[in-house]
Amino acid sequence: MYDAIVVGARISGASTALLLARLGHRVLLVDRARFPSPTSSSTNLIHPPGVQRLTQWGVLDRLGDPTIPRIGRYRLESGPVRLEAGLPAVEGVDYALSPPRVKLDEALVRCAADAGAEVREETSVQELLRDADGTVVGVAGTVKGSGRFQEKATVVIGADGKNSKVARLAGAEQYRSEPVLSKSLWTYWEGLPQPPLVRTYRKNRRHPFTWPTHDGLSIVGVAWPTADFPSPGSDEATDRTVIAALADVDPEFAEEVRAGRRAGRWLTGSVPNFLRRPHGPGWALVGDASATRDPITASGITHAVLGAELLAEAVHRSLSGGRAMHLELAAYARARDALVRDHYDYTRDYARILDHSLEERALIEAMSRSPWHARGMIGLFATVVPPTEFYSRRTFRELFDFLDEEGGLPRNIRMLRWLLHAVPGRPEATARLADRLLAARLGLMGELLLRSTAA
């Protein structure tokens, strides 16, 4: 009898097993793969909160000796406007990393085993065992080479990805779902300069991106709205498609790409968007099994690590004699929502890859003139700054003080500034009107601004 059975040993599952085992619980971690094992395409960027946890847990020390540069700055270019800032720190960690994904997965599994978790590879779960009341009490399935197995536990945790079998068997329904919003082509490139910088661009409904990854390589790619995604072709044809998109936004960098060499095949990134009910009697979900979002904000690994921490803490509290498991799992569900819900909406909005309007560019340019706003916007993308903190009335009212008057302002921006600043005494009713007009231009994030209580 185990305290917990974790199904799926990638980022979220191995992290959950590692933490529970270190807390003294008996954990079984199973996966269909044998590690080291490649996974589906993942651009493997880890934002500062994820880097901080993986460093604290000793996982990054297990990667061996790949050269992994620290990435301290993120940049967004939209037409002529550039916003760049350093990353806000999380407990002293103010950088992102892009390690080799195969080695990261293996390091997490081995750390979980070292902590005391029992790891069974090449093991496929096919059934959830239930008691007379319908509570999940274990799993059954097959082990490659040895046939059927059955094990019981106090809680079964599904960490088996967006197509989670645990979720399907448990009947965990999806909600707030949307289909695939963007599709990307990306690969590893060698021979490029490697500034410690994530570069993203937005122009002509394309979203080129690049950053340094491991062993002297760089990730280079482009995302399109799903309807605009180019027809697949040969790797050489894709080279031309991606370099043309880069030349449209950054001709100098496009020339550097031409002078380098593709170091792997082109990969395609696209996933649907949904939240799932993350718990029920005797079971819980974590990672992509719990919430899947477009990869355009590269938040998947970071949220997988943070979600694992939340779930491990909840399960530990119950196993250690606290509240009943169903109450702790319900608390975990609320914490999971608080972690991912608003950034999920931000990601869905971002993944539509709409060209920024003149008004939006004026606001981005104002952010670039305000160190606090610039770092806040970069921190929002990097999952450091909560969307509710950045998309607040106070944040955007103060932003209007940094508008570029000399560069000329769109008419609507001038009107909003007048409502905020030119009316004698700045009556709150007039300011609220400006808030509503501004929120209408901010997509899903406009709702956050209107809910903000910061005047």
Side-chain angles (χ1 to χ4, degrees), residues 61-398:
D61 291 337
R62 292 291 299 269
L63 288 178
D65 58 355
T67 301
I68 309 171
R70 293 184 176 186
I71 303 170
R73 300 182 72 80
Y74 287 10
R75 176 194 296 171
L76 166 65
E77 292 189 33
S78 178
V81 176
R82 173 186 290 185
L83 171 67
E84 180 179 324
L87 290 166
V90 178
E91 296 186 26
V93 175
D94 59 356
Y95 56 89
L97 295 175
S98 185
R101 178 61 193 270
V102 171
K103 289 189 176 182
L104 177 60
D105 285 355
E106 184 182 17
L108 269 165
V109 170
R110 302 311 169 210
C111 283
D114 288 349
E118 180 182 340
V119 178
R120 294 188 195 173
E121 301 170 82
E122 298 182 314
T123 299
S124 176
V125 168
Q126 297 166 345
E127 300 174 46
L128 295 180
L129 306 178
R130 300 177 185 270
D131 66 11
D133 296 327
T135 299
V136 172
V137 295
V139 299
T142 58
V143 180
K144 185 177 180 180
S146 58
R148 294 282 296 176
F149 83 98
Q150 178 174 302
E151 299 290 357
K152 291 190 174 183
T154 303
V155 63
V156 172
I157 295 169
D160 47 343
K162 63 182 182 295
N163 298 316
S164 169
K165 177 168 278 190
V166 173
R168 180 170 59 81
L169 293 172
E173 67 274 10
Q174 296 182 8
Y175 61 99
R176 297 182 73 174
S177 57
E178 284 196 66
V180 173
L181 295 171
S182 77
K183 291 185 177 182
S184 62
L185 290 165
W186 69 273
T187 191
Y188 294 102
W189 214 269
E190 62 184 16
L192 292 175
Q194 290 201 304
L197 175 68
V198 169
R199 286 179 279 188
T200 63
Y201 307 83
R202 181 65 58 89
K203 186 179 180 182
N204 293 333
R205 291 178 63 79
R206 298 170 186 163
H207 177 80
F209 54 88
T210 181
W211 61 79
T213 183
H214 52 87
D215 299 313
L217 300 173
S218 298
I219 282 177
V220 174
V222 180
W224 290 262
T226 302
D228 298 341
F229 189 69
S231 299
S234 66
D235 279 345
E236 291 71 22
T238 302
D239 290 348
R240 294 190 291 272
T241 297
V242 170
I243 292 174
L246 290 168
D248 190 35
V249 296
D250 193 336
E252 182 178 343
F253 179 67
E255 287 303 314
E256 292 174 343
V257 173
R258 286 192 182 97
R261 188 175 72 88
R262 177 167 41 81
R265 64 186 179 91
W266 285 101
L267 300 171
T268 300
S270 64
V271 298
N273 301 268
F274 59 82
L275 303 179
R276 277 196 181 108
R277 179 168 59 93
H279 75 104
W283 61 269
L285 303 175
V286 69
D288 281 348
S290 165
T292 294
R293 85 293 289 155
D294 195 286
I296 199 165
T297 54
S299 59
I301 293 177
T302 302
H303 276 157
V305 168
L306 299 179
E309 183 178 60
L310 293 175
L311 179 54
E313 290 172 350
V315 171
H316 171 65
R317 287 193 298 267
S318 180
L319 293 174
S320 301
R323 295 187 299 176
M325 184 65 74
H326 73 279
L327 295 176
E328 290 295 351
L329 294 182
Y332 157 69
R334 293 190 294 271
R336 192 281 320 250
D337 281 352
L339 171 67
V340 306
R341 181 186 56 238
D342 294 334
H343 203 273
Y344 172 80
D345 287 342
Y346 168 72
T347 299
R348 287 191 297 148
D349 191 55
Y350 207 87
R352 287 174 170 81
I353 314 183
L354 301 173
D355 288 346
H356 292 119
S357 66
L358 291 176
E359 291 82 5
E360 288 172 318
R361 285 183 182 172
L363 293 174
I364 294 171
E365 199 280 335
M367 292 176 196
S368 72
R369 295 158 63 91
S370 165
W372 186 90
H373 287 89
R375 182 160 288 214
M377 187 63 178
I378 293 304
L380 168 63
F381 184 93
T383 71
V384 179
V385 175
T388 49
E389 180 179 316
F390 187 78
Y391 280 92
S392 70
R393 294 179 177 181
R394 175 176 297 165
T395 295
F396 278 83
R397 290 180 186 183
E398 292 176 351

Side-chain angles (χ1 to χ4, degrees), residues 42-72:
S42 169
T43 53
N44 56 290
L45 185 64
I46 311 174
H47 298 307
V51 174
Q52 188 274 327
R53 296 317 194 277
L54 293 173
T55 300
Q56 176 184 318
W57 302 342
V59 174
L60 297 181
D61 291 337
R62 292 291 299 269
L63 288 178
D65 58 355
T67 301
I68 309 171
R70 293 184 176 186
I71 303 170

